[in-house]
Amino acid sequence: MDLITVTRKAGLAFTMRLRDHVLTSDMSVGEGGRDMGPNPVELLACSVGSCLATMTQEYCDRHGYTNGDVAVRLTLELAVDPKRIAVLVADVELPKGMPEDAKQEVRRLLDHFPVPETLRRTPQLDVEIS
């Protein structure tokens, strides 16, 4: 069984299945889709944000920083040639009252979480056509 299966739903919308989860991606109306879900580039940014949030929350919980939850706000800037994300800015909100040394430790760790690290070290992508 494949880890992730992506099949056409309608138009430019695709259904992604992973274990018992079902997600939809689509292009915006302006890009020829029906905006039934985030587009693939937005999904990539969401993956970065959810990785940063999850791993940071785990650190905070483990160290007893529980005066509030972690939140991540992302903005992205697209490049045109080739079309890709050129800049991705993540604003990470930490629980209140964290000491400065803990904030610095989180800052150091953020660069080594799995999804950001994957983007820095481009993975090999093998595409097979059947």
Side-chain angles (χ1 to χ4, degrees):
M1 183 166 129
D2 295 330
L3 176 63
I4 299 170
T5 302
V6 180
T7 55
R8 187 173 186 200
K9 184 173 184 171
L12 295 176
F14 284 82
T15 299
M16 299 162 285
R17 286 181 169 66
L18 169 64
R19 295 188 315 272
D20 293 330
H21 307 286
V22 179
L23 305 158
T24 298
S25 73
D26 196 3
M27 301 304 286
S28 69
V29 173
E31 296 171 304
R34 290 192 250 166
D35 204 15
M36 296 168 62
N39 70 39
V41 173
E42 293 165 335
L43 282 170
L44 180 60
C46 288
S47 181
V48 171
S50 65
C51 182
L52 294 175
T54 302
M55 303 302 282
T56 302
Q57 188 69 58
E58 182 181 57
Y59 172 90
C60 291
D61 291 348
R62 191 172 58 248
H63 289 88
Y65 303 118
T66 57
N67 188 14
D69 293 327
V70 170
V72 177
R73 289 173 195 76
L74 293 162
T75 55
L76 59 91
E77 180 180 316
L78 294 177
V80 177
D81 190 20
K83 190 172 183 179
R84 66 193 187 290
I85 296 174
V87 179
L88 187 57
V89 177
D91 177 23
V92 179
E93 182 180 322
L94 299 172
K96 294 173 180 40
M98 278 184 74
E100 195 57 40
D101 61 328
K103 289 179 182 180
Q104 291 307 314
E105 178 67 7
V106 168
R107 177 68 192 107
R108 188 184 67 72
L109 292 171
L110 286 172
D111 289 336
H112 301 289
F113 290 157
V115 175
E117 191 68 44
T118 299
L119 292 178
R120 269 192 278 305
R121 299 172 190 249
T122 308
Q124 180 177 331
L125 173 63
D126 295 327
V127 179
E128 297 178 11
I129 305 293
S130 56

